[in-house]
């Protein structure tokens, strides 16, 4: 292939990314993936079972095969390993991530990226007329999709107990803890711990469901609160997972100060984020940085940028460890003196 052909092919691949994403989400939404999870089938059988158009479905399946989500075998299609992860019953719940990323709420916000780059305005606010968290509190359907999709993207948290030793901790507070999946991981791992989840009031029902066993046993408590204003006292470990990247430097500083004020002596703040390297451009961290620009006033930051914010709040970086999917754990300790 000539250099020109290569460049053309690569640009087409980049520019048709949204077509592929929409095709995947369409197959998930229409139940095609769940039907294939029951066993190999051809387009006619699936179309018959789901009331779809056989020829159109055949063409959709051909594209899904080209991107390795299904594979043809003896005239029928079956799910590949990646495709199998999208079925409703799969423990990864990646289906929820697909539905969130393909949602109108995200698509309309991304539609205003150009305005964001021109003016510095948050694209989400240009598109929806309000900030994302106020919008979610007013749109229960989108809020449910958001909570489920964010939780599905949180699999990196399963590795937290392997990179942070909770043996000396007594109470862990997960600030902006989402649906409670990460706190559940920590409490399941360390039976001596108690946990507190701080969230916006409208986000608490999902956490209440996920943490039900720990709530019933008295090991977990839910607190409706605003971490920009205050953080409940009594915890010696605070978790901020994918929280600081939602906020501008001033707001992130405020969250860290509230955390530092409430932290028990000798405590630690665990920050889980995609931390940008000072040079180079890792794909996921750069992608989510632009996504933060679209959705919020926040950003992905370098380790140096985090350290500057931490110091302003009386904290400092103790160590950094790798999780998965370019996520990292930054352990922050109170500054001495
Ligand atoms: C990107 S999600 C991360 C959720 C979870 N920590 C995780 O990693 O899966 C950010 C969370 O911050 C919560 N949040 C936003 N503003 C908040 C505030 N002012 N006080 C408490 N929680 C807030 C949102 O409801 C949302 O669940």
């Amino acid at each position: 292939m000539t250099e020109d052909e290569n460049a053309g092919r690569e640009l087409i691949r980049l520019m048709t990314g949204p077509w592929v994403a929409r095709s995947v989400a369409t197959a998930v939404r229409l139940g095609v993936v769940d039907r294939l999870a029951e066993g190999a089938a051809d387009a006619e059988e699936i179309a018959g079972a789901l009331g779809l158009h056989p020829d159109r479905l055949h063409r959709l399946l051909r594209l899904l095969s080209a991107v390795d989500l299904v594979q043809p075998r003896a005239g029928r299609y079956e799910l590949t390993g990646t495709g199998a992860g999208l079925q409703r019953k799969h423990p990864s719940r990646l289906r929820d991530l697909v539905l969130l990323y393909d949602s109108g709420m995200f698509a309309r916000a991304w539609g205003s990226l150009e305005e964001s780059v021109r003016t510095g305005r948050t694209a989400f606010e240009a598109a929806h007329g309000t900030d994302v968290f106020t919008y979610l509190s007013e749109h229960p359907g989108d809020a449910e999709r958001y909570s489920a999709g964010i939780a599905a993207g949180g699999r990196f948290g399963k590795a937290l107990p392997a990179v942070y030793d909770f043996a000396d901790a007594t109470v862990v507070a997960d600030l902006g803890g989402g649906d409670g999946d990460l706190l559940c991981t920590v409490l399941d791992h360390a039976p001596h711990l108690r946990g507190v989840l701080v969230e916006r009031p409208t986000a608490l029902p999902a956490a209440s469901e996920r943490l039900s066993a720990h709530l019933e046993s008295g090991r977990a408590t839910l607190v409706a609160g605003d971490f920009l204003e205050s953080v409940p006292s009594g915890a010696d470990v605070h978790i901020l997972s994918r929280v600081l990247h939602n906020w501008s430097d001033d707001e992130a500083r405020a969250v860290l100060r509230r955390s530092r004020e409430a932290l028990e002596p000798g405590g630690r703040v665990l920050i889980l984020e995609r931390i940008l390297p000072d040079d180079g451009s890792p794909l996921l961290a750069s992608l989510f940085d632009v996504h933060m620009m679209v959705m919020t006033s926040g950003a992905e930051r370098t380790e140096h940028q985090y350290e500057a914010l931490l110091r302003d709040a009386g904290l400092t970086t103790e160590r950094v460890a790798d999780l998965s999917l370019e996520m990292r754990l930054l352990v922050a300790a109170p500054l001495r003196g």
Side-chain angles (χ1 to χ4, degrees), residues 15-312:
M15 298 313 296
T16 53
W19 301 355
V20 175
R22 175 56 52 88
S23 300
V24 174
T26 298
V28 167
R29 243 191 318 266
L30 289 175
V32 175
V33 171
D34 285 332
R35 173 62 189 82
L36 282 169
E38 291 167 12
D42 63 25
E44 282 71 27
E45 288 171 69
I46 303 172
L50 300 176
L52 305 176
H53 189 284
D55 175 62
R56 301 272 155 147
L57 178 60
H58 168 69
R59 289 155 66 188
L60 182 69
L61 285 165
R62 190 164 52 197
L63 172 60
L64 298 187
S65 170
V67 295
D68 211 24
L69 289 180
V70 302
Q71 59 194 11
R73 191 182 296 269
R76 306 175 110 196
Y77 286 102
E78 61 186 21
L79 293 173
T80 61
T82 311
L86 298 182
Q87 59 185 287
R88 196 181 291 270
K89 289 185 188 147
H90 199 275
S92 69
R93 298 188 289 170
L94 281 171
R95 175 184 197 276
D96 294 330
L97 189 137
V98 168
L99 297 179
L100 175 64
Y101 285 17
D102 191 59
S103 65
M105 173 179 76
F106 272 29
R108 281 193 290 281
W110 271 91
S112 291
L113 174 63
E114 190 170 322
E115 176 167 350
S116 176
V117 177
R118 278 186 199 285
T119 65
R121 190 169 175 210
T122 300
F124 190 95
E125 296 188 16
H128 293 283
T130 186
D131 71 274
V132 61
F133 295 118
T134 305
Y135 173 95
L136 289 174
S137 61
E138 291 164 355
H139 295 81
D142 277 321
E144 204 177 308
R145 218 179 344 265
Y146 178 85
S147 170
I150 293 289
R155 304 274 304 168
F156 60 85
K158 302 286 171 214
L160 179 60
V163 293
Y164 186 81
D165 184 358
F166 287 93
D168 293 335
T170 55
V171 182
V172 173
D174 194 354
L175 312 178
D179 85 331
D181 200 49
L182 182 59
L183 187 58
C184 224
T185 298
V186 172
L187 293 181
D188 288 346
H189 171 81
H192 69 283
L193 283 179
R194 284 184 295 117
V196 181
L197 183 129
V198 181
E199 256 296 347
R200 294 174 305 112
T202 51
L204 286 177
S208 162
E209 206 179 312
R210 182 73 185 89
L211 284 164
S212 60
H214 293 306
L215 289 167
E216 270 164 37
S217 73
R219 286 184 65 208
T221 318
L222 301 181
V223 175
D226 178 350
F227 49 43
L228 292 161
E229 300 293 329
S230 72
V231 166
S233 59
D236 48 3
V237 173
H238 288 171
I239 297 178
L240 287 165
S241 167
R242 297 187 291 176
V243 161
L244 295 178
H245 75 166
N246 290 153
W247 302 97
S248 68
D249 283 358
D250 283 346
E251 292 158 330
R253 244 181 239 114
V255 177
L256 288 168
R257 284 192 179 125
R258 302 296 85 82
S259 161
R260 172 70 187 90
E261 288 157 10
L263 195 66
E264 288 295 305
R268 294 291 183 270
V269 182
L270 310 186
I271 296 169
L272 285 76
E273 293 284 3
R274 290 198 167 85
I275 301 177
L276 286 163
D278 286 325
D279 48 21
S281 51
L283 179 62
L284 291 184
S286 306
L287 257 179
F288 282 97
D289 181 45
V290 177
H291 185 53
M292 285 310 110
M293 182 164 105
V294 165
M295 298 293 289
T296 68
S297 56
E300 304 300 350
R301 298 179 169 91
T302 64
E303 212 179 306
H304 284 107
Q305 288 171 321
Y306 276 114
E307 177 61 12
L309 294 178
L310 287 167
R311 287 207 163 247
D312 288 343

